[in-house]
Amino acid sequence: MAELNQEYIKKMEDVLATYEKPYTPAEPVVCLDEKPVSLHADIRPPIPAAPGRIAKRDNEYERCGTANVFCVVEPKAGRHFTLPTPNRSAPEFAQALETVVSSYPGARTIHVVMDNLNIHGRKSLTDYFGEERGGSIWNRLTVHYTPKHGSWLNQAEIEISLFSRQCLGKRRIPTLSILRRESRAWNRQVNRHRVKINWQFTRKRARAKFGYKRNLFRRSKT
């Protein structure tokens, strides 16, 4: 657990206050995180299950490199964006964020919760799209960074867990194109059912758990 200092509390309270906002399509709250995925191929074809016979898979496999998946979720609306990319780079982040932003054309602002990874900033968008378009995309956001060592506050981590269990499972996925196909199929399913995240950790619970007063970080400014 990170040191519970003024900066940690300030960022934690900001994130939790954002989660406590009443749901409104005009100000959606989305959470973003990344997951590395190892690509593997079967060397020998698996044996499918049959009456009286369980499925079998050879222990040997071929390593086919790695990929990245941007997992983005709007928890209260049950809206999911699962975006596999070749790697976790600034251009890939810029494209993923543009996809999310373009999905909310009528929003006044889009609240985005993410960690402090060096690519998670305005520069990634302006470097890729140019100052005008990149700046315009970034200006549609209200960004809430989790505190350092506070990634557990990002509901996108729950999204990653869901994706890992329900889509990836223990299967071997050999290529980025297949990963994208499987991710699209899972994405359609969870969006069809509007799978939501029932977040229960509030500012009130944080104050009780960590034993700090409501105005602790406010006093530091005076």
Side-chain angles (χ1 to χ4, degrees):
M1 178 64 188
E3 179 186 356
L4 194 71
N5 55 26
Q6 304 284 336
E7 185 64 19
Y8 191 102
I9 292 172
K10 179 181 178 181
K11 288 188 173 182
M12 178 171 64
E13 289 252 336
D14 175 58
V15 169
L16 295 178
T18 302
Y19 291 159
E20 292 169 31
K21 290 179 178 291
Y23 171 72
T24 170
E27 293 193 15
V29 176
V30 302
C31 305
L32 178 151
D33 204 358
E34 302 93 352
K35 173 181 173 57
V37 176
S38 296
L39 302 175
H40 297 135
D42 288 308
I43 293 178
R44 300 172 186 85
I47 300 173
R53 184 184 70 193
I54 62 172
K56 293 183 179 180
R57 183 178 65 181
D58 199 286
N59 287 331
E60 253 189 293
Y61 59 85
E62 179 185 358
R63 297 180 184 273
C64 303
T66 59
N68 172 74
V69 180
F70 288 97
C71 290
V72 188
V73 60
E74 185 186 356
K76 289 184 177 179
R79 194 171 186 185
H80 306 255
F81 304 86
T82 315
L83 307 168
T85 58
N87 52 58
R88 185 187 69 177
S89 63
E92 302 292 356
F93 168 75
Q95 293 175 76
L97 199 57
E98 193 274 338
T99 297
V100 174
V101 169
S102 65
S103 300
Y104 296 93
R108 287 194 300 267
T109 189
I110 303 164
H111 295 273
V112 177
V113 176
M114 55 187 171
D115 62 29
N116 289 274
L117 188 66
N118 62 334
I119 65 171
H120 290 171
R122 185 181 187 276
K123 187 175 185 298
S124 293
L125 279 85
T126 56
D127 283 353
Y128 185 78
F129 291 111
E131 182 63 35
E132 184 176 353
R133 187 180 174 203
S136 175
I137 295 169
W138 184 258
N139 290 340
R140 294 205 56 216
L141 308 177
T142 301
V143 178
H144 307 269
Y145 289 112
T146 57
K148 188 176 180 181
H149 304 301
S151 58
W152 61 274
L153 289 161
N154 190 344
Q155 293 187 56
E157 288 210 340
I158 300 174
E159 179 77 352
I160 287 174
S161 178
L162 288 172
F163 172 72
S164 298
R165 287 185 285 109
Q166 296 179 359
C167 180
L168 301 180
K170 295 182 179 180
R171 296 181 302 158
R172 290 172 183 159
I173 297 179
T175 66
L176 177 60
S177 62
I178 293 176
L179 176 61
R180 283 174 168 158
R181 184 186 69 198
E182 297 297 323
S183 297
R184 284 194 299 268
W186 180 79
N187 219 144
R188 285 193 298 268
Q189 181 182 24
V190 289
N191 279 326
R192 186 183 307 121
H193 295 289
R194 293 294 179 185
V195 177
K196 301 177 183 179
I197 297 174
N198 185 21
W199 182 265
Q200 296 291 316
F201 194 67
T202 62
R203 286 174 292 174
K204 184 177 180 180
R205 291 190 175 186
R207 293 160 191 162
K209 178 179 177 63
F210 297 117
Y212 67 90
K213 300 295 184 181
R214 178 177 180 178
N215 61 347
L216 175 63
F217 65 92
R218 292 177 180 173
R219 285 203 303 267
S220 67
K221 299 179 182 179
T222 61

